[in-house]
Amino acid sequence: MATQAERREKTRASIVKAARRIFGERGFSAATMDDIAAGARVAKGAVYHHFATKEAVFEAVFEQVSIDLVADLDRISRAENDPLAAMAAGTQGYFAACSKGPTGQIILRDGPAVLGWERWREIDAKHFGGKFPRALAAAMEAGVIAKQPIEPLARLLLGAVTEAAVAVSAGPDIGKTGTDYARAFRSLLDALRVK
Amino acid sequence: MATQAERREKTRASIVKAARRIFGERGFSAATMDDIAAGARVAKGAVYHHFATKEAVFEAVFEQVSIDLVADLDRISRAENDPLAAMAAGTQGYFAACSKGPTGQIILRDGPAVLGWERWREIDAKHFGGKFPRALAAAMEAGVIAKQPIEPLARLLLGAVTEAAVAVSAGPDIGKTGTDYARAFRSLLDALRVK
DNA sequence: TCCATTTACCGACTGATAGTCGGTATTTAT
DNA sequence: ATAAATACCGACTATCAGTCGGTAAATGGA
């Protein structure tokens, strides 16, 4: 005898939870809506009552994973004082989280392909994107790096990090290890330091 | 009365040509094998006689686009003498080519997603990826930038460039213009310069 | 030149799966 | 209590990647 809102939220959460597991394990295209419905113990119709398309389900999962990840990274980078050191630390955490398992599958591999780059960027910007510009602004303010337009530089750095994360997620045999990239990234940040 | 080799090559080329147009226009998942077959004026069976899967067709298209793109960029960057200036120039050309139309769709959007990271990296390394490492090695050799591991830095820079290209392709309203990014990238390269 | 073999191509068919739709159960508003 | 609205059900449809038995064309040996 739950209220409609409770029923609704419970079912929705159950669907997203099942979808998160299945998308993470098998990837977007190998996951079927029937699997997701079965995993959530509801009929397919219920899934389509809550989400218009398979992509919409994925988007909900993607947002949830992003939120969890950001919370983790915030905790990590808050421990540092120097602005550039905080960026480097957060980056390393990002590598660690995305380099293996479901998180990497959802965020790095399927994310851009399923949502499209624009939408991916939008969501990414909502959760992560703000971090880099803010950190850069702080670093410029503190005189640690030279003043220059923030937005383009932030994007370049974000792209660099993402690329490295993808490379790391492919395994240490193919690319270099997360440590190698973390070091390279730190050296890139150091290069920006005002001498 | 063509030879088998001629028939084969003609049909294959026709398929790849049609597929290139259709993949470029609609994206991978919206393009159907029936469309491709129709576009190439052959039966679906012929397509499957030449390519095992839809992904295989895409791979052939991807390689062709890569080859064309690399040829363009080579021409552009060869005009510069300073190693870093050559990188910057090539980068700007990359922006121009990928920021709009079919090339961007195939290379930036569908490419990595469809082929999978490992395979994408292989092809990329064969055609394009080698450029950055080589340019960096030359710059280090010339003493323009400090000696350090090449591969990780090259990946970071490639990621930065790709991200910028995507941002530009999303339109100037969303990101900044290509010029803004080109400038930011040049400033990043300059930061690497030995002072 | 003729036949056997191999290779290129054809297109109706199959299986899988995203999405639909008419119907039922449960809650809410009057 | 009853009507309306909302949540959920699951058989059904449409679409499309991939298959398969068959035909046409080239090739190599006699």
Side-chain angles (χ1 to χ4, degrees):
Chain A
M1 269 263 206
T3 68
Q4 293 285 60
E6 281 167 348
R7 277 180 87 189
R8 188 180 174 73
E9 209 34 59
K10 195 175 162 191
T11 303
R12 202 193 129 97
S14 171
I15 292 168
V16 172
K17 183 178 173 188
R20 179 172 180 166
R21 184 174 53 77
I22 293 170
F23 281 141
E25 278 170 5
R26 304 185 212 168
F28 180 80
S29 78
T32 73
M33 291 297 261
D34 289 286
D35 289 340
I36 291 171
R41 314 280 190 128
V42 296
K44 205 191 208 177
V47 179
Y48 279 97
H49 180 67
H50 287 272
F51 301 96
T53 63
K54 191 182 173 187
E55 280 76 19
V57 178
F58 181 85
E59 189 169 319
V61 169
F62 186 90
E63 289 235 32
Q64 219 198 40
V65 173
S66 294
I67 288 170
D68 290 353
L69 185 54
V70 164
D72 284 352
L73 298 189
D74 263 359
R75 214 171 327 107
I76 291 172
S77 60
R78 232 193 283 284
E80 302 284 338
N81 283 321
D82 178 67
L84 290 189
M87 283 180 77
T91 300
Q92 204 150 16
Y94 187 71
F95 286 162
C98 287
S99 63
K100 61 189 183 331
T103 303
Q105 178 70 41
I106 291 167
I107 297 283
L108 297 178
R109 287 167 189 270
D110 290 330
V114 173
L115 301 174
W117 278 96
E118 279 85 1
R119 186 88 190 92
W120 186 55
R121 275 280 143 261
E122 245 177 76
I123 300 175
D124 193 64
K126 196 165 80 183
H127 298 296
F128 298 97
K131 310 261 165 235
F132 261 107
R134 233 171 297 146
L136 279 179
M140 286 182 200
E141 209 49 55
V144 180
I145 68 176
K147 285 218 160 123
Q148 60 187 295
I150 289 174
E151 166 69 11
L153 180 58
R155 227 167 234 286
L156 289 177
L157 292 177
L158 182 61
V161 169
T162 305
E163 175 75 9
V166 173
V168 171
S169 81
D173 304 325
I174 293 182
K176 301 294 169 178
T177 70
T179 318
D180 290 329
Y181 281 107
R183 195 168 334 186
F185 188 73
R186 212 167 316 162
S187 126
L188 197 59
L189 287 179
D190 269 336
L192 287 170
R193 264 209 161 83
V194 173
K195 299 297 185 308
Chain B
M1 265 269 211
T3 68
Q4 293 283 60
E6 282 167 347
R7 278 180 86 189
R8 187 180 175 74
E9 209 35 58
K10 194 176 164 192
T11 303
R12 201 193 128 99
S14 170
I15 292 168
V16 171
K17 184 179 173 189
R20 179 172 181 166
R21 183 174 54 76
I22 293 170
F23 281 141
E25 279 170 4
R26 303 184 214 170
F28 180 80
S29 77
T32 72
M33 290 297 262
D34 289 285
D35 289 339
I36 292 171
R41 315 277 189 130
V42 296
K44 205 194 218 178
V47 180
Y48 279 97
H49 181 68
H50 288 272
F51 302 96
T53 63
K54 190 182 173 188
E55 280 75 19
V57 178
F58 181 85
E59 188 170 319
V61 169
F62 186 88
E63 288 232 34
Q64 220 197 41
V65 174
S66 295
I67 288 169
D68 290 353
L69 183 55
V70 165
D72 284 351
L73 297 189
D74 263 359
R75 211 170 331 106
I76 290 172
S77 62
R78 231 192 284 284
E80 302 285 337
N81 282 321
D82 177 67
L84 289 188
M87 283 180 77
T91 299
Q92 208 150 13
Y94 187 70
F95 286 161
C98 287
S99 64
K100 60 188 185 333
T103 302
Q105 179 69 43
I106 291 167
I107 297 284
L108 295 179
R109 287 158 194 271
D110 290 329
V114 172
L115 300 175
W117 167 255
E118 283 82 1
R119 185 86 192 95
W120 178 84
R121 189 175 186 286
E122 255 174 66
I123 300 175
D124 188 66
K126 196 164 77 182
H127 298 296
F128 181 78
K131 306 267 165 229
F132 258 108
R134 232 171 299 146
L136 278 179
M140 286 183 200
E141 209 50 55
V144 180
I145 69 175
K147 284 217 161 121
Q148 59 188 292
I150 289 173
E151 166 72 9
L153 181 58
R155 284 233 80 81
L156 290 178
L157 292 177
L158 182 61
V161 168
T162 305
E163 175 71 12
V166 170
V168 171
S169 80
D173 304 324
I174 294 181
K176 300 294 172 178
T177 70
T179 318
D180 291 328
Y181 282 108
R183 194 171 336 193
F185 188 72
R186 213 166 317 160
S187 127
L188 198 59
L189 287 179
D190 268 338
L192 288 170
R193 265 208 160 84
V194 172
K195 301 296 186 305

